[in-house]
Amino acid sequence: MIDIRLVDEAPDVKACTEWLLETECGGIDIFIGKIRSINDGKHVVQISFEAYKPMALKELKHITDHVSEQWKVARILIHHRLGMLRAGDIPVIVGVSASHRAEAFEACRYIIDTLKQNVPIWKKEYYENGSVWINAHA
Amino acid sequence: MDVKVLTFGIIKDITGSGLLHVDIPEGANVGELLRTMIVLYPDLRGIKSIAVAIDNVYATQDTSIAHNVEVALIPPVSGG
């Protein structure tokens, strides 16, 4: 089973965890991204996330399709939050239920690493005196 | 021909709009569209890389742009 969502509110970590635990699987791996208050020595006031939603959902589906082919997994969950967030907020949660931990770890890492490389989602950091799109400049 | 171009992130900031109508020659490819965009918006040169998607699928420089497709200019992604 696959649960892919782009959400406007905070991901429900407990509900996500319970959904991943519902199976007979022995290995459940969950990655939670959390916003730091300091990045590159600068105090981050807030961060906005925007997405090209139809394509982002399509790219996330590509990722879960690949995971289902590559590893024996029972459930895959990807929830990514959009909008304005602050330090301590959770922008992303990725979870995998698999029979054993090796598949769960590998698949979960593949998902978050590939999401960061391919999925059309962008973040802009706001500081006390300015803002910058992350990764954008040459 | 007139092509509908969606922009995001820093590209939207530079162009000032999330939806542009750009005039390109009939049968032009992605590389030609990007060159046109840089002439129209020289600040796009300062971006690390620009990917192009046609109808939600990543395209290459050689991909030709048909009528009535949705083109998106995609700056370096930074989700997660």
Side-chain angles (χ1 to χ4, degrees):
Chain A
M1 290 174 79
I2 311 283
D3 181 3
I4 295 171
R5 296 186 207 184
L6 298 173
V7 295
D8 294 322
E9 63 287 342
D12 185 338
V13 175
K14 188 162 177 283
C16 291
T17 306
E18 283 169 0
W19 185 76
L20 290 161
L21 285 167
E22 273 171 11
T23 70
E24 295 298 309
C25 288
I28 289 85
D29 195 60
I30 299 172
F31 171 82
I32 299 172
K34 195 181 117 188
I35 300 208
R36 284 167 289 140
S37 59
I38 305 284
N39 191 22
D40 284 340
K42 285 181 281 195
H43 177 62
V44 178
V45 179
Q46 51 190 9
I47 297 189
S48 70
F49 285 85
E50 70 169 57
Y52 180 18
K53 282 188 187 177
M55 184 171 171
L57 290 167
K58 203 167 180 175
E59 287 294 317
L60 290 168
K61 176 72 167 45
H62 280 316
I63 292 173
T64 58
D65 284 350
H66 178 79
V67 166
S68 299
E69 284 167 19
Q70 191 74 23
W71 292 281
K72 198 165 176 302
V73 299
R75 290 194 176 186
I76 307 171
L77 177 143
I78 309 173
H79 290 188
H80 199 299
R81 189 173 173 188
L82 303 174
M84 194 64 85
L85 280 71
R86 294 181 169 277
D89 285 345
I90 293 171
V92 66
I93 177 162
V94 172
V96 176
S97 304
S99 296
H100 303 286
R101 70 183 183 283
E103 294 98 309
F105 276 126
E106 286 171 22
C108 193
R109 178 164 196 143
Y110 172 83
I111 293 167
I112 187 64
D113 286 353
T114 312
L115 183 157
K116 283 174 169 281
Q117 284 169 10
N118 290 351
V119 179
I121 298 175
W122 301 271
K123 68 178 155 222
K124 189 178 198 178
E125 285 189 351
Y126 292 80
Y127 315 110
E128 275 147 4
N129 53 356
S131 61
V132 67
W133 287 102
I134 300 301
N135 279 350
H137 296 279
Chain B
M1 67 178 187
D2 177 79
V3 61
K4 187 172 116 178
V5 178
L6 302 179
T7 67
F8 299 91
I10 191 169
I11 300 180
K12 186 163 73 180
D13 281 2
I14 289 171
T15 63
S17 173
L19 172 61
L20 305 169
H21 289 273
V22 183
D23 188 41
I24 55 170
E26 198 76 28
N29 64 24
V30 163
E32 288 163 318
L33 170 69
L34 284 174
R35 285 190 286 279
T36 302
M37 292 298 302
I38 286 167
V39 171
L40 294 170
Y41 305 98
D43 286 350
L44 293 176
R45 285 182 195 281
I47 301 177
K48 201 194 297 179
S49 65
I50 302 177
V52 174
I54 296 179
D55 289 340
N56 297 320
V57 177
Y58 283 112
T60 67
Q61 297 276 320
D62 299 334
T63 308
S64 34
I65 300 169
H67 283 277
N68 299 320
V69 293
E70 182 174 279
V71 179
L73 299 188
I74 302 194
V77 301
S78 52

